[in-house]
Amino acid sequence: MGKRARGAKQREPRPFRALAGPFVVAPPSGCRIRTRLHLSPADEEALRAVGSHLGALAGADLAARVRIGNVPAAHNRRAERKKALTAQSSSRWAGSITRTSEDQYQLARRALNARIGSLRRAIATITSRLAVTPGSRVRQGRRWVRGYADDTERRAKQQRLQILQGQLRRAVRERESGRVRVTRGGRRLLNARHHLYDAATAEKPLTAADWQAQLEGWDATWSARRMFLTADGEAGAPFGNYTLSVDPADGSIAMVLPDPLRRQYANAPRGRYVLDATAVFSHRGGQWADRIAAGASVRYDITYDPARGRWYLDASWSTTAKGHTAPAPALETLRQHPVLAVDLNADHLAAWVLDPCGNPVGAPHTIPLQLSDLPAPTRDAR
């Protein structure tokens, strides 16, 4: 007798998985660089005032856009909303706010569609497994469907199925009504607001001092995440952006103030505020300066990290014309030069330089990746 007993059921071999051919990913269509700002107390006070004022306007405009619902772009009342915001800020600030609101709404719509698709796949999987007797399996087409291990797991999955079906019905109703769920600052921050005691990092039970520190820390994070300091670029404007401009000669930063704040904070002509801090871009600073010299547009974002107590300035621009994509090089062209082969593992990246023939050159490189206990956006970025 062999290893398998006589009369044992022979398992049919699975067909081999077909591997797709190699392809070249298109290069990125934009660029974003960052520098740290060392602000004076006056600069920080002015930026907080502007960010809080524009953040309140952005929140109100986003709520108005959500109430309009899923309509064509010609009927989203952007011109009407922009006109109302201009009286409380400026025409260009209002344009950035309404553009951001539209982007957030459309992103929430795509997330809702993805959520509905995910719920339907989960429901289909559980339904197919519930149709199989626990502890057994049946063949459906080219694949085997295994039942749950026992009756206890099966009953738990039946309850889970009812929950998912209810979530699917609510999600479909929201999509049909045009409603979306958007939180400026992120859902994690909103959940922390509703459960401040549970989200506290100090040892529980909290003392009065710990609770006060928790409230102050959450308030600082909430305010920082909901500030709006985004200035869209404009081709032909001085230094590529009229609302927030950076002079590449000396790094000076000038910002157009919203109309209600000009009397209090303006220190330059035409309602502008010139920061004491300067900006120096080390990474791709030459490309940024060349783009400004050519009269092209540059977008700027000012953000505050409350955990580190640091202010940052981001500059971004598109590297391709609107409606076009950057051409990807041919695979045959890339094979004529050395390439970097990267293997993605659970906790590290293994990289090795390969010659045109595919042979490793030099020593391998290991890049550690600490991904545990990190938010999903941080894991994806790393």
Side-chain angles (χ1 to χ4, degrees), residues 38-50 255 257 264-267 273-277 311:
H38 299 274
L39 302 180
S40 64
D43 289 347
E44 188 167 349
E45 180 184 355
L47 287 182
R48 287 186 182 277
V50 175
M255 177 178 58
L257 294 172
Q264 182 178 359
Y265 294 103
N267 60 1
Y273 180 83
V274 179
L275 279 68
D276 298 328
W311 291 82

Side-chain angles (χ1 to χ4, degrees), residues 278-300:
T278 58
V280 178
F281 292 103
S282 300
H283 178 62
R284 293 191 174 183
Q287 299 180 19
W288 166 75
D290 294 341
R291 184 172 182 84
I292 290 178
S297 62
V298 178
R299 165 179 160 171
Y300 293 106

